[in-house]
Amino acid sequence: MKKKVSIGMCLVLSLGLIYGCSSLDQTKEGMSPGTSVSMEEPEKFQVYPLGNGMHRILITNRFEEKNIESPDALYFYNEQYESHFLIIEEKKSEAWGSLSLEEYLSLSKESVSSRLEQVEESWEEALSSKPNQKEYYIRGSLEGKSITYAVEVIETEEEYVEMILWSFTENIEENKEYYEDLLRSFEKVNVASENSKGEMDEPEL
């Protein structure tokens, strides 16, 4: 087992978006950030309440949901892989509704970039079959460590949904296919409110 520096994140509210600010000051025994997620535990579709609806995501049980006391946000933390995953739903108020998806995406990139001390690379992944969905990555440094943010932005008729994943760059690169599936799996489902959480038997993506 390698020792690794912890990305202990505290939640910060900025422009309606919650992000992590790192303490990066603890060490502990744990799995190497480059270990493959899929080799350790298969992902499953799970259902969670967000805003006024129910949504499903393809996620492993290593991600533990954390309480952030917001009905319009979900936050998960994978301690073993030092991975953070945040989902935010923002209703299209008069201000947000006046923004195009590209304009909202630009604001998202600006906010994410501000969380890093230095941005080293930024790029988008083409999602030709999903015109109302954008995916981008920003890699940079924070207190001497290489961190990568992977972000998915979805526009619907009533809201913008933003999924933000961040971790050590080595972990993101080693488990790229899994994290892509996680980001792209989000969708609204028809589930009775009393069954607010739980696993779903769904076909693979």
Side-chain angles (χ1 to χ4, degrees):
M1 298 268 186
K2 291 183 183 178
K3 275 192 174 181
K4 59 181 180 177
V5 181
S6 170
I7 314 178
M9 300 280 184
C10 60
L11 295 179
V12 175
L13 187 63
S14 173
L15 295 175
L17 305 179
I18 306 170
Y19 292 97
C21 64
S22 173
S23 64
L24 284 170
D25 57 0
Q26 300 176 14
T27 60
K28 65 180 180 179
E29 294 291 340
M31 182 176 295
S32 165
T35 303
S36 174
V37 171
S38 60
M39 290 173 60
E40 298 296 324
E41 182 177 355
E43 57 268 24
K44 300 175 183 177
F45 278 104
Q46 303 210 36
V47 179
Y48 297 89
L50 180 66
N52 296 321
M54 303 299 298
H55 302 78
R56 73 171 189 174
I57 50 176
L58 188 66
I59 194 167
T60 76
N61 289 329
R62 293 188 187 278
F63 276 96
E64 180 181 356
E65 184 180 4
K66 301 292 186 178
N67 182 17
I68 56 175
E69 299 182 353
S70 172
D72 298 321
L74 293 168
Y75 171 61
F76 302 87
Y77 177 54
N78 184 328
E79 182 176 10
Q80 190 161 16
Y81 290 88
E82 293 290 339
S83 300
H84 303 255
F85 183 48
L86 178 68
I87 307 174
I88 307 160
E89 181 181 272
E90 293 198 286
K91 299 296 182 185
K92 284 184 175 178
S93 62
E94 183 175 341
W96 288 122
S98 65
L99 294 178
S100 68
L101 177 57
E102 291 295 337
E103 290 171 328
Y104 188 94
L105 189 70
S106 179
L107 288 176
S108 174
K109 290 179 179 180
E110 181 180 343
S111 187
V112 168
S113 296
S114 71
R115 305 300 156 186
L116 295 165
E117 293 172 353
Q118 181 177 355
V119 173
E120 298 168 358
E121 187 177 11
S122 176
W123 70 96
E124 289 188 30
E125 293 286 346
L127 301 173
S128 57
S129 62
K130 299 179 179 181
N132 295 326
Q133 190 163 330
K134 300 290 185 179
E135 181 177 304
Y136 72 87
Y137 295 78
I138 294 179
R139 177 173 57 84
S141 59
L142 185 63
E143 298 188 19
K145 302 298 175 182
S146 181
I147 307 297
T148 294
Y149 281 84
V151 184
E152 200 91 3
V153 176
I154 302 174
E155 181 183 18
T156 72
E157 291 183 2
E158 299 180 349
E159 66 265 326
Y160 285 104
V161 178
E162 190 166 16
M163 286 155 284
I164 307 155
L165 174 77
W166 67 100
S167 185
F168 291 107
T169 295
E170 182 183 0
N171 176 37
I172 297 292
E173 291 177 348
E174 183 70 21
N175 297 292
K176 187 174 186 292
E177 290 185 4
Y178 166 68
Y179 289 132
E180 284 179 348
D181 285 346
L182 172 60
L183 290 170
R184 299 171 188 177
S185 68
F186 180 87
E187 67 177 345
K188 184 173 289 188
V189 294
N190 295 320
V191 179
S193 59
E194 58 268 22
N195 298 324
S196 60
K197 294 183 183 179
E199 298 177 4
M200 287 186 67
D201 294 325
E202 296 285 346
E204 295 184 357
L205 292 178

